[in-house]
Amino acid sequence: MDFAHRKLSARYPTDLVAWRALKKHYSDSMRTKDLVSLFARDKERADRFTLTAGDLTLDYSKNHVNATTRKLLVRLAKEAQVPAAIEAMFTGEKINVTEDRSVLHAALRAKMSDKVALDVDGVLEVWETLNNIEDFVERVQAKKIRGHTGKRFTDVVNIGIGGSDLGPVMAARALRPYWHEKMRFHSVSNIDGTQFADLTQELSAESTLFVVCSKTFTTIETMTNANAARAWVADHLGHAAVGDHFVAASTNHEAMDEFGIRPEFRFGFWDWVGGRYSLWSAVGLSLALVVGMDTFRRLLNGGRVMDLHFRNSPLDENMPVLMALIAIWYNNFFGAGSQAILPYDNRLDRFPAYLQQLQMESNGKRVRTDGKPVKCDTGMVIWGEAGNNAQHSFYQLLHQGTRLIPIDFIAPVRSSGASQEQQDLALAQCLAQSEALMDGFDEEGLEPHRVHEGNNPSSTILFPELTPEALGQLIALYEHKVFVEGVIWGIDSFDQWGVELGKKLATRLVEPVAKGAGYKGKNASTAALVAKVGKLR
Ligand code: F6P
């Protein structure tokens, strides 16, 4: 029987031998051990708990983990059949069981010789699609494809939401030094219309290319914004211009027909690419248009480097696996409910938001793949902010608050295209914070409010520079981390049924909200709010 459909009832993680051993290890030993003493006991600790993969170095020595913890966590991964699950993903098994789909974002960045699920429908089309994207990107950049009035495109607007927005937006910001000198990237995602209204103040319709990005091409936010953009183009340049100013990335060809996307301006992908895993597909088109295809391919290659590491490294030297295990250790044994992501490079300022969807939409689940309820907590709340801004905002709580919040510090060593002196200052802040959080501060007679108890755990991910390759590795690292967590919990990390109900209710509320009356919902509160909207309008 294949991995996805194997009987799971025996595999509640809480029933595994390793889980029980970890529980005992926690209460007998690690619960009360402080981080400083772990370092005092082992002079080699910093080395022993540091790992490299591609350009990334992960120092996880400032975590409540010793050699026994690591051994037991790795045993947990083995007992939960993580190696079989990894192979199941790369060979195209339908591990997204509730949607009966393979999960093959890794195929989007693989070389054919990697043999990632070549027998799955669509996989052999990946390289041709990439060539089509490349051809389009190059023709736009070379001014061979122009706007309706003959002007070159200088502004690319990504219209999408969720995975069809966060990936391109995060990566476009991260790769700012790689932008074509004559091109700018913009995005519109929220439905309320303000983003688009503000954007039109700085755009000229003649030189703007809209990329409508939607796997389903039915998402209300995206279609509302796409329709607004279409009306704006028609208003400024006439209806005939629409076909010249819109391209799309989607799996829904019928809907693209209806919208009026020209066949040669469509870029497809496949149902085995999940929305939050889709940056590597045609969803990356707006990014590729601005940074160019060489840079986009370098990003893909970075993802591939992490895929090879993930697929081929032993569990105890496998970066995504270890990060997942450490997260589970805090989540399920220490009871930590959230994790902070703190990048020390402003170009990564949307990375925490990107990871929120990746991790919380993937692992915010309460039933297992066999339909039974989980017996332990699953996905943690993920939050964060660019490091220095965060220091002057919520670090107080990290240093002296009451909650255990494991942290991932993320920092490039060299500045990409800005002042190295300033990046060194950022790095010094980053390292100082992780040290202060761990070491704390106390001395005889110090008033209580000045005491830093310390013992706060963190991991630090360093890399030479925020290149497209490093970014690709970083994204794929977290993708695989999320997958491993899901395998251990026995949940489907690739569906998102929890977002459907809200969407349905919103449809029912559209008319009553417009009228400010007439909502007969299940509760008096919503009806009263609708009436209040009517009065306030
Ligand atoms: O509502 C959640 C979601 O389905 C995400 O999973 C997805 O990334 C987003 O909406 C956008 O979906 P689409 O690309 O189909 O417009």
Side-chain angles (χ1 to χ4, degrees):
M1 195 179 286
D2 62 21
F3 177 81
H5 296 93
R6 199 171 295 152
K7 196 161 173 283
L8 287 166
S9 51
R11 296 203 308 121
Y12 276 97
T14 44
D15 292 340
L16 297 175
V17 176
W19 188 281
R20 287 198 218 112
L22 278 161
K23 242 181 142 175
K24 185 162 161 33
H25 172 61
Y26 167 74
S27 44
D28 288 358
S29 165
M30 298 310 283
R31 188 169 60 90
T32 50
K33 261 200 192 92
D34 66 89
L35 292 168
V36 173
S37 74
L38 292 176
F39 276 91
R41 231 171 275 152
D42 179 2
K43 298 287 168 237
E44 308 292 316
R45 182 174 169 83
D47 269 356
R48 273 197 241 277
F49 293 84
T50 292
L51 186 69
T52 59
D55 292 318
L56 311 185
T57 296
L58 167 72
D59 174 353
Y60 62 101
S61 64
K62 293 191 185 81
N63 281 293
H64 295 276
V65 167
N66 64 14
T68 308
T69 325
R70 183 169 54 194
K71 206 167 73 200
L72 291 174
L73 285 170
V74 167
R75 193 185 296 167
L76 176 68
K78 279 190 194 141
E79 286 180 20
Q81 302 179 52
V82 168
I86 295 174
E87 263 324 279
M89 178 167 79
F90 281 99
T91 51
E93 266 188 48
K94 294 190 171 175
I95 59 172
N96 177 356
V97 290
T98 70
E99 296 181 315
D100 196 29
R101 289 175 183 167
S102 306
V103 173
L104 285 171
H105 40 280
L108 299 168
R109 52 213 187 201
K111 289 196 172 150
M112 208 179 282
S113 55
D114 298 338
K115 297 199 171 71
V116 175
L118 296 179
D119 52 343
V120 170
D121 267 1
V123 170
L124 288 174
E125 294 160 23
V126 165
W127 296 279
E128 197 192 321
T129 307
L130 256 181
N131 289 340
N132 293 342
I133 293 175
E134 173 152 33
D135 182 59
F136 182 77
V137 166
E138 283 178 355
R139 285 195 298 140
V140 170
Q141 289 203 339
K143 298 178 271 183
K144 289 187 180 142
I145 295 179
R146 295 165 178 259
H148 190 64
T149 59
K151 283 242 167 97
R152 71 168 297 164
F153 287 120
T154 54
D155 293 89
V156 175
V157 181
N158 190 83
I159 301 181
I161 198 160
S164 298
D165 166 78
L166 287 160
V169 171
M170 175 276 291
R173 290 172 80 93
L175 299 177
R176 182 67 183 82
Y178 297 84
W179 287 17
H180 187 287
E181 55 173 344
K182 292 259 161 48
M183 292 191 95
R184 288 182 297 267
F185 179 94
H186 314 270
S187 65
V188 177
S189 56
N190 271 315
I191 200 167
D192 59 72
T194 52
Q195 259 176 313
F196 186 60
D198 291 349
L199 195 55
T200 54
Q201 305 297 312
E202 50 175 294
L203 292 181
S204 153
E206 284 182 291
S207 51
T208 300
L209 180 62
F210 292 95
V211 180
V212 185
C213 227
S214 175
K215 183 174 171 182
T216 55
F217 227 74
T218 56
T219 306
I220 186 168
E221 294 86 348
T222 302
M223 297 329 295
T224 304
N225 284 320
N227 288 332
R230 187 172 53 181
W232 181 75
V233 168
D235 237 30
H236 284 76
L237 307 173
H239 279 289
V242 168
D244 293 332
H245 287 258
F246 283 83
V247 296
S250 181
T251 56
N252 186 346
H253 286 276
E254 250 182 303
M256 287 192 275
D257 278 345
E258 225 169 87
F259 187 88
I261 305 284
R262 291 184 2 203
E264 68 277 23
F265 280 14
R266 292 174 192 186
F267 300 90
F269 51 108
W270 306 270
D271 71 355
W272 39 257
V273 183
R276 54 197 175 276
Y277 300 87
S278 63
L279 171 65
W280 322 92
S281 70
V283 167
L285 178 63
S286 54
L287 171 71
L289 278 163
V290 174
V291 298
M293 208 57 195
D294 282 351
T295 300
F296 189 67
R297 284 191 189 271
R298 286 172 64 189
L299 177 82
L300 296 186
N301 198 42
R304 174 176 179 262
V305 167
M306 189 51 69
D307 293 340
L308 294 174
H309 166 83
F310 180 55
R311 194 174 182 183
N312 300 321
S313 306
L315 295 176
D316 56 355
E317 291 166 25
N318 194 314
M319 199 179 279
V321 170
L322 282 173
M323 282 177 59
L325 290 170
I326 292 169
I328 285 183
W329 179 229
Y330 287 124
N331 182 346
N332 297 122
F333 297 88
F334 284 75
S338 80
Q339 194 198 4
I341 307 290
L342 304 169
Y344 276 76
D345 182 327
N346 199 63
R347 294 204 168 107
L348 285 172
D349 64 349
R350 292 299 284 163
F351 195 58
Y354 176 80
L355 291 188
Q356 281 182 324
Q357 186 198 17
L358 180 64
Q359 303 208 41
M360 290 158 74
E361 196 170 80
S362 297
N363 284 346
K365 311 281 164 70
R366 58 169 69 217
V367 292
R368 290 157 49 83
T369 46
D370 56 5
K372 294 188 178 142
V374 294
K375 289 185 185 167
C376 63
D377 276 324
T378 57
M380 285 204 242
V381 174
I382 302 297
W383 54 288
E385 169 70 75
N388 281 87
N389 288 343
Q391 281 177 215
H392 295 272
S393 161
F394 54 72
Y395 271 42
Q396 166 64 37
L397 183 146
L398 298 179
H399 283 287
Q400 290 185 315
T402 54
R403 293 172 194 283
L404 172 70
I405 301 172
I407 296 165
D408 282 356
F409 290 102
I410 300 172
V413 171
R414 283 196 301 273
S415 165
S416 40
S419 151
Q420 185 57 40
E421 216 177 302
Q422 284 189 237
Q423 182 56 20
D424 284 348
L425 287 174
L427 272 169
Q429 303 275 331
C430 173
L431 301 184
Q433 290 296 333
S434 65
E435 183 166 297
L437 283 159
M438 179 174 81
D439 288 353
F441 178 67
D442 197 3
E443 59 187 17
E444 217 30 63
L446 195 66
E447 302 114 296
H449 59 269
R450 291 188 200 277
V451 173
H452 288 57
E453 284 192 355
N455 209 26
N456 298 296
S458 66
S459 298
T460 302
I461 299 171
L462 290 180
F463 43 95
E465 193 177 324
L466 188 54
T467 57
E469 289 86 354
L471 182 66
Q473 291 166 31
L474 204 53
I475 300 169
L477 167 66
Y478 280 95
E479 285 178 348
H480 295 323
K481 173 208 176 219
V482 165
F483 171 49
V484 172
E485 287 178 349
V487 170
I488 292 174
W489 290 321
I491 58 175
D492 186 340
S493 297
F494 303 103
D495 63 11
Q496 56 283 317
W497 297 102
V499 297
E500 296 306 322
L501 179 61
K503 287 186 194 172
K504 222 190 315 174
L505 290 185
T507 315
R508 268 197 251 153
L509 270 153
V510 171
E511 217 182 291
V513 165
K515 287 190 190 141
Y519 184 66
K520 291 191 181 57
K522 281 190 186 156
N523 63 77
S525 162
T526 311
L529 286 168
V530 167
K532 192 81 184 163
V533 167
K535 283 203 190 105
L536 291 175
R537 194 173 276 134

